[in-house]
Amino acid sequence: MRLVIARCSVDYAGRLTAHLPSAPRLILVKADGSVSIHADDRAYKPLNWMSPPCTLKEGSGDDAGVWTVVNKAGEKLIITMEEVLHDSSHELGVDPGLIKDGVEAHLQELLADRIETLGEGYSLIRREYMTAIGPVDILCRDADGQTVAVEIKRRGEIDGVEQLTRYLELLNRDPHLAPVKGIFAAQEIKPQARVLATDRGIGCTILDYNALRGIEDDKLRLF
């Protein structure tokens, strides 16, 4: 991974155009080829980025301070450096991946086996669908054939909604999958997380762990 802190401006040219005026920013260049530009006030979400596969070309001569990142669709991310404050590279090696909470991992396995829990006509594409920023818990299709990304938590909070939002932004760039909608599934979803999910067009589903395991609730029922 290469870390560059620089005063720079950024221009994106593709399906739309966007401009970031000059300011100090962090630029991450990862081993997978992705390039992302970060500010100091947005947690993990970049201001702009280019997902792999893409190529980075550093200018020379009069264009020595210009980086041009191009993806397979011909979209360009042009970074114009005014002052480089830090530039270092680090070998991180192969990441072992996220080790999920035991119940959370089991929920994922059970829901994949009983994908119809999400609705009649749902079908599984795969579990742990890998993206450039991590694996989506479950990728499936609804009864209309639309792609659905499912993020599973034991307790659903705002950070889980933010995580799913990032996955959806990336998945919706893939013409073979788009349009992709999201479902936030958990045993318990906090009110604030539900409000945020609803505002972003993400569905919410409460998962009953015992029901997924085929265990009847031991509470007395009239019917």
Side-chain angles (χ1 to χ4, degrees):
M1 178 183 289
R2 184 177 178 185
L3 308 176
V4 178
I5 299 175
R7 177 173 290 278
C8 63
S9 59
V10 183
D11 292 278
Y12 170 80
R15 290 166 295 178
L16 48 80
T17 59
H19 174 72
L20 292 172
S22 176
R25 297 188 175 94
L26 167 65
I27 304 166
L28 299 182
V29 183
K30 294 187 178 180
D32 63 5
S34 63
V35 178
S36 57
I37 297 96
H38 298 259
D40 204 17
D41 63 348
R42 295 194 176 203
Y44 50 77
K45 188 174 182 179
L47 296 167
N48 214 326
W49 68 94
M50 192 70 81
S51 301
C54 57
T55 58
L56 167 61
K57 181 180 178 181
E58 297 185 43
S60 58
D62 293 339
D63 295 325
V66 179
W67 289 13
T68 304
V69 187
V70 184
N71 67 10
K72 63 180 180 180
E75 299 168 317
K76 293 183 179 181
L77 193 65
I78 301 170
I79 307 169
T80 303
M81 308 285 191
E82 298 170 13
E83 180 184 9
V84 176
L85 305 173
H86 175 85
D87 189 344
S88 64
S89 296
H90 307 270
E91 188 65 45
L92 302 185
V94 178
D95 191 89
L98 178 67
I99 299 175
K100 289 181 172 287
D101 173 274
V103 173
E104 191 174 302
H106 199 202
L107 280 170
Q108 182 194 118
E109 180 183 350
L110 291 169
L111 185 58
D113 288 340
R114 298 165 176 79
I115 198 67
E116 68 280 357
T117 300
L118 298 176
E120 186 177 350
Y122 271 70
S123 59
L124 179 70
I125 296 176
R126 66 166 297 166
R127 291 172 53 197
E128 298 287 329
Y129 184 88
M130 187 56 65
T131 74
I133 56 174
V136 177
D137 286 336
I138 289 179
L139 198 69
C140 58
R141 295 192 189 279
D142 65 14
D144 297 322
Q146 183 175 355
T147 309
V148 182
V150 185
E151 180 63 28
I152 300 171
K153 299 293 184 186
R154 186 163 57 87
R155 176 180 294 176
E157 301 189 34
I158 284 178
D159 59 347
V161 178
E162 294 284 5
Q163 183 180 358
L164 179 54
T165 299
R166 288 193 300 150
Y167 288 143
L168 290 172
E169 288 177 353
L170 190 61
L171 291 170
N172 272 300
R173 294 183 178 189
D174 187 336
H176 299 294
L177 298 175
V180 184
K181 65 181 181 181
I183 293 179
F184 191 47
Q187 289 179 282
E188 172 193 0
I189 298 178
K190 295 294 186 180
Q192 299 93 331
R194 186 179 290 276
V195 169
L196 181 61
T198 301
D199 181 67
R200 295 183 177 180
I202 295 171
C204 293
T205 297
I206 297 295
L207 299 176
D208 186 325
Y209 187 43
N210 286 336
L212 285 171
R213 291 192 297 163
I215 299 175
E216 288 290 337
D217 194 333
D218 60 2
K219 295 178 182 178
L220 292 176
R221 297 179 179 175
L222 292 176
F223 304 97

